Structures are given as structure tokens and as C-alpha cells.
Amino acid sequence: MRTSFKLAAVLAVVLAAASTPTATRLVPTAVAPSLSSIGPLAFGPTGVLYAADPQAATIFALDLGAQASGSAAGTASVAKLDEQIAAMLGTTAAGITVTDLAVHPTSHNSFISVMRGQGADAKPELVRVDGTGKVSLVSFDTMTFTSVALPNPAAVSPNGRGGRTQSVTDMALMDGRLVVAGLSNEEFASKLWSVAYPFTTADRGASVEIYHGNHGAIETRSPVMTFLPYGAGAQAQVIAAYTCTPLVRFQLGALKAGEKVVGHTMMDLGAGNQPIDMLRYSKGGQDFLLMANSRHGIVKVPTAQFATLPAITAKVDTAGSFEKIASMPGVVQLDLLDAQRSVSIAQAQPNGPRDLNVTALP
């Protein structure tokens, strides 16, 4: 899910801390982080890699050191990426799950979070792809790190779905604070937390509520699946996507710890659809949001409409203007490589290999 290209310039609010889990401070000696799982990734502008451990409901801030770059800057396309990763891990492509993709802000190498194995035996791994297309395992053994636990996380699900696996669904760093989306164990379960960096504590988070146009109902327990910052200063917002597929904006200034905040549902991409990832870019003097989703593939959304779209308050099938991009089929992870190109992991054919593709922005 979010890199330095997805960061907003200013976070307009400092949120009060209401819970005080202890953070592990960065120390000068190398200490290997112990992750039980690895999910969403996000880079800060200095190259700190934020990695979510959903099973532990904990965020790790990792110093990659020399592993921030391979033998060449940038990222090159890699055919059958999943097979190459699996071979390095001593398994098959079916034995790994890719959980996120993030681009380093200065080396522009791509980093991929992977779970090797299934269920309780699955192990977290981190992979780097450089400008020559070389695929390498990144070792946790020599990394310095800090970590912080989220308060009141969702309960561990007995079947491994939902629950704790969605304790963190996405992250983005904004003006020195990490904004985290996910589920809590509270009655209003859907949350946006703000975590100061360097880590000290995580606050209770704001409970977020939306009107879901396709479902024709108010929802408080469905998590934000992917989001990105939009605007700056007093106008800073979170643009969030939910399952089945409302696109909602929240004012950052309203996201105070312990508050219940109602989002402005401005678009709906329709039922039977899962948002996967989003990025924002400019082309030809216009600003666009690019979203990977399960039903439409990649869609391109002009952001100029965001300021004037009325709130959806009644049942709809779809609403808002978007364009389907047929040239990017099967995308399952997406990020911005540079101002002209995206990098994605895509499975173009059902049951086919997953490739890493560097593609011109549409």
C-alpha cells in the first residue's frame, strides 16, 4: 500500500494520545525485529520503511541501511516474479502470499512484503527488486528499528480471515505522523489512528462512519481498505476506498482521538468489487487518482471532481466519473515509481504467474 509519492505535505492536526503502549526506541546497535506477520508497507521521505505486523497489531519502523539499494537504482520489470521469490524461499509460487509493494524514495528500488507458507506456520519475508531486475531477499537480522503497538486491536479470527488480519489495512506518513487504517475491537470498529514518529505511543484513533451507497446503509465496522492523503494544510484530507466500492473523503482535522467522524461518500464504483491500491499523479496539467480493484482492473479518476461531488445519501449502483484502463490487466499491487511511471504486480491470466511491470502512467 503507500510511499513518499503518496505523502501529503502537511498534517493539519496533532492528535491527543489516549493509550500508552511502550515503543521500542531506535538504538545504535543492530537488533533484528521480530515480526509475526508482514502486511502493508509505507516509506517515509528519509527512507524509513514502515512495516505493519497485522497479527501483532504492531507497526515497525525499519532502518534498511545498505539494503535500501541493490546494485542499480530504479526498478526493472521482472517476469514470473512470484516464481523467482518462491525459489529463493525454497517453496512454490502457490506457497507464498504477496501482501504489499512500496518504492524507496531515493533508490527507487521496489520492496515487496511476502508471507511464506500458510496459516500459523506462515513466516514474514521482505524482497527487493533493483534497476537491473535483480530479485533479492532483505535480511531483518542486522536492522535497527523501533515499534509501536496499536491499542484495542481487532480480535484474532479463528479462521484467519478478517479480525486481526485487518488490524492494519493501510498506512501513510504525513508531516512526521503515521496515519494507519484498520479495525479495532470497539463497537465502532473502523479506525484511523495517528502515530507520532519517532514512535512514543499510538492514540485511540478516530472511529469512522460512512454511508455506503451500493449497500444503501450506514457502516461503522467495514475497514478502509486503501487510502491516500489529498490536499494540504487546513484542506488536508484522506481519500479512502472501501469494499463494494465507495470512495470517501475525511477531513484530517476532524480525525481526533476518541471521536466518531462521518465521511463524505462522493463516489461508488459498484458492488462485488474490492479496492486494492491507489496512487495519485499529475499528467497534462491535470491531477488523477489511479486505483487497482478486483472488478474493473485499473481505473483512472480525475480528482478535480472531488471538490464538487455531493454526498451520496441514498442507494446507488455507481456514481462519479472514472475511466477503465484496459492496458493494465490483473494488477494486485500498485505504486508510483516516478513522475512518469508506475510499478505493479499483475497476474494477467487466471492461475498464471505474477509479473512485476514498470508501466507508463496512463
Side-chain angles (χ1 to χ4, degrees):
M1 308 205 310
R2 317 296 177 277
T3 68
S4 59
F5 290 101
K6 300 176 184 175
L7 306 179
V10 177
L11 178 61
V13 60
V14 176
L15 304 179
S19 181
T20 57
T22 301
T24 305
R25 288 291 189 176
L26 188 65
V27 292
T29 54
V31 178
S34 180
L35 286 79
S36 56
S37 64
I38 190 167
L41 303 176
F43 274 108
T46 63
V48 172
L49 176 60
Y50 301 94
D53 181 345
Q55 288 297 332
T58 297
I59 310 298
F60 288 82
L62 306 175
D63 181 358
L64 295 175
Q67 298 185 97
S69 180
S71 58
T75 297
S77 297
V78 179
K80 299 182 180 180
L81 173 71
D82 54 351
E83 295 180 12
Q84 291 199 40
I85 293 173
M88 288 191 299
L89 297 175
T91 185
T92 64
I96 65 169
T97 302
V98 173
T99 58
D100 206 3
L101 163 71
V103 174
H104 192 280
T106 55
S107 75
H108 298 290
N109 287 179
S110 290
F111 288 78
I112 301 156
S113 51
V114 176
M115 293 297 291
R116 171 172 52 90
Q118 304 295 326
D121 295 327
K123 302 298 182 185
E125 303 284 357
L126 187 63
V127 174
R128 183 190 64 230
V129 179
D130 70 12
T132 67
K134 182 179 180 180
V135 182
S136 306
L137 286 177
V138 177
S139 173
F140 295 119
D141 293 344
T142 59
M143 287 184 189
T144 52
F145 71 98
T146 61
S147 64
V148 66
L150 296 175
N152 305 319
V156 175
S157 174
N159 61 13
R161 297 190 298 273
R164 187 59 63 86
T165 63
Q166 293 184 331
S167 65
V168 181
T169 53
D170 208 358
M171 305 185 293
L173 186 74
M174 293 175 278
D175 194 33
R177 298 184 71 88
L178 190 69
V179 175
V180 181
L183 290 180
S184 73
N185 65 0
E186 300 174 19
E187 180 181 0
F188 290 81
S190 186
K191 288 281 190 175
L192 286 170
W193 289 274
S194 172
V195 185
Y197 185 78
F199 290 150
T200 54
T201 60
D203 64 39
R204 285 182 57 198
S207 297
V208 291
E209 172 185 308
I210 66 164
Y211 183 83
H212 193 142
N214 198 270
H215 292 176
I218 292 172
E219 294 187 356
T220 62
R221 301 190 64 82
S222 179
V224 171
M225 297 308 298
T226 182
F227 76 91
L228 52 78
Y230 184 79
Q235 302 303 314
Q237 302 174 41
V238 167
I239 305 297
Y242 289 75
T243 301
C244 287
T245 325
L247 197 63
V248 183
R249 68 173 188 254
F250 296 96
Q251 291 296 130
L252 278 173
L255 299 177
K256 295 179 170 64
E259 296 291 322
K260 295 181 176 64
V261 181
V262 179
H264 179 106
T265 305
M266 56 184 180
M267 292 183 62
D268 201 306
L269 275 66
N273 193 21
Q274 184 69 269
I276 297 168
D277 222 338
M278 294 194 295
L279 60 82
R280 183 184 172 194
Y281 70 101
S282 296
K283 189 169 186 177
Q286 298 184 66
D287 191 69
F288 300 99
L289 180 154
L290 206 64
M291 181 197 289
N293 61 99
S294 62
R295 178 181 173 188
H296 304 302
I298 293 287
V299 297
K300 179 181 177 181
V301 181
T303 64
Q305 63 185 312
F306 290 173
T308 57
L309 284 170
I312 295 172
T313 57
K315 187 172 175 59
V316 296
D317 290 327
T318 61
S321 175
F322 60 91
E323 173 190 357
K324 299 177 185 179
I325 306 298
S327 60
M328 298 176 68
V331 170
V332 294
Q333 298 293 339
L334 177 70
D335 203 0
L336 198 62
L337 181 58
D338 53 38
Q340 291 80 39
R341 298 176 297 169
S342 69
V343 59
S344 63
I345 298 174
Q347 188 175 31
Q349 300 296 329
N351 302 316
R354 296 190 175 194
D355 303 324
L356 186 74
N357 297 323
V358 175
T359 309
L361 289 163

